Amino acid sequence: MEDANIKKSDFYFDLPQELIAQDPLKDRSASRLLMLNKTTGETEHKIFHDIVDYLNPGDCLVLNDTKVIPARLIGNREDTGANIEVLLLKRKENDVWETLVKPGKKARPGMRLVFGDGLLRAEVLDVVEEGNRLIKFEYNGIFEEVLDALGEMPLPPYITHKLEDKTRYQTVYAKYEGSAAAPTAGLHFTRELLDKIEKKGVETAYVTLHVGLGTFRPVKADNILEHHMHSEYYQVSAQAADKINKAKEGGHRVICVGTTSCRTIESAADKQGRLHECSDNTSIFIYPGYEFKVIDALITNFHLPESTLVMLVSALAGREHVLQAYEEAIRERYRFFSFGDAMFIH
């Protein structure tokens, strides 16, 4: 590792508020794409669908096929009728979830909640770490269907506009439900673009990492090594492991779509950088000085100042290169964060 004391402030940049994208573009693949050479720091400006020209036959594109659940529930206390908001974080057992409750202070064990005229009811069971609540839900039918009817997409705190179409906070290849946030680099891909990429002879490997809301948790400690990373569940299939290993062995690139895919395969790889079928929880924290075992290139969005995500991209491309590229993106009025533009670090 590089330095025993890496400061949070080393990853600060001044981001004008109006560059935070509030709405998705009509055409997913029409976002802008900033190309960043991780070795030289050189940049080029493209459109996202141009990505196909920069992928080579034999390369392996790694995508996270997690599906965001409409995890935000607005309801009332059964006793007082006061408004309450519940955010589903993690399923513990069938109908018991770890949640974030607002306002939280009064959400004590035994408190009853009601959502959607009683379609869904719940009881607070316990208070767990970081003030999260364990809640047991009661309903008729299938929980996922009730949730689909009542829940809203848990958009990041910096997006203030209402999302008109739920599918726009989902990748076109989302498959396994369990995320509280979208793997946003994947939002730029359309089915047509993926077909083009596959026709070119690029392999696509799907892994699953259920993104937790901890991904938005700010780094509070000035020495970033004191930051407590959240834990997220991931799964790598035998098929995905084989495709990634094969690309590596053939001298081709492994290109991750998003920091979540990157964290998955870096967590799953053995010391030799080989992958095997596995599932586990990861709280890997990647920052400058980290030696990458598998990944060669990364497609990612533009991240918050001082966030763990900006630290991860700095580990891959060098802090100076990343901050210079971000300054250029700000000058060129690129759109930032979940619904924003993309970057290809190669």
Side-chain angles (χ1 to χ4, degrees), residues 80-341:
T80 64
N83 288 348
I84 201 135
E85 181 182 321
V86 172
L87 207 48
L88 305 179
L89 299 177
K90 231 182 228 158
R91 180 176 256 158
K92 288 301 194 185
E93 49 200 83
N94 291 342
D95 295 318
V96 178
W97 286 75
E98 184 175 335
T99 68
L100 196 62
V101 178
K102 283 199 266 189
K105 280 199 172 60
K106 292 179 178 154
R108 297 192 184 98
M111 186 170 98
R112 307 262 318 153
L113 309 171
V114 60
F115 307 91
D117 299 327
L119 267 180
L120 184 63
R121 292 177 185 274
E123 185 176 324
V124 178
L125 300 180
D126 201 1
V127 181
V128 290
E129 60 171 337
E130 292 176 18
N132 294 345
R133 277 14 185 209
L134 284 187
I135 288 185
K136 185 173 171 65
F137 289 98
E138 302 149 19
Y139 52 90
N140 288 322
I142 298 166
F143 184 69
E144 282 69 20
E145 287 176 7
V146 176
L147 193 60
D148 214 38
L150 300 179
E152 292 177 16
M153 282 298 185
L155 293 180
Y158 43 72
I159 291 177
T160 54
H161 291 192
K162 191 168 166 51
L163 182 65
E164 296 306 325
D165 174 2
K166 269 186 194 172
T167 65
R168 294 310 310 270
Y169 195 57
Q170 236 29 306
T171 61
V172 297
Y173 48 81
K175 193 171 180 185
Y176 300 107
E177 296 195 319
S179 273
T184 53
L187 295 177
H188 304 285
F189 287 90
T190 59
R191 275 270 152 242
E192 297 73 40
L193 185 56
L194 285 166
D195 288 346
K196 252 191 199 168
I197 287 167
E198 285 173 5
K199 280 201 180 86
K200 194 175 174 180
V202 177
E203 286 289 350
T204 47
Y206 290 93
V207 297
T208 310
L209 178 135
H210 293 321
V211 190
L213 284 176
T215 188
F216 304 119
R217 186 188 294 148
V219 177
K220 295 208 171 86
D222 190 42
N223 176 358
I224 67 166
L225 305 190
E226 291 164 17
H227 178 66
H228 169 66
M229 274 301 269
H230 53 288
S231 167
E232 291 165 323
Y233 174 80
Y234 72 83
Q235 200 163 10
V236 177
S237 67
Q239 189 191 20
D242 288 345
K243 284 184 175 183
I244 295 165
N245 292 337
K246 201 169 145 198
K248 281 307 250 192
E249 284 156 16
H252 302 290
R253 294 177 303 170
V254 172
I255 301 161
C256 284
V257 175
T259 55
T260 61
S261 304
C262 168
R263 291 177 65 240
T264 301
I265 65 170
E266 289 295 319
S267 298
D270 64 20
K271 287 193 170 69
Q272 285 70 47
R274 282 186 66 76
L275 287 157
H276 311 273
E277 182 177 5
C278 62
S279 62
D280 202 352
N281 288 295
T282 179
S283 51
I284 191 171
F285 182 11
I286 295 176
Y287 52 86
Y290 176 83
E291 303 264 341
F292 287 91
K293 293 182 281 196
V294 189
I295 178 181
D296 299 295
L298 178 70
I299 296 167
T300 184
N301 279 20
F302 289 89
H303 305 293
L304 274 167
E306 301 186 331
S307 62
T308 59
L309 305 174
V310 102
M311 292 165 192
L312 183 151
V313 294
S314 297
L316 185 63
R319 187 179 69 96
E320 285 78 13
H321 289 166
V322 167
L323 291 180
Q324 276 163 9
Y326 271 48
E327 268 174 38
E328 193 174 329
I330 290 166
R331 273 200 308 278
E332 297 287 334
R333 314 293 289 168
Y334 270 67
R335 297 158 67 251
F336 273 65
F337 310 148
S338 300
F339 290 138
D341 295 316

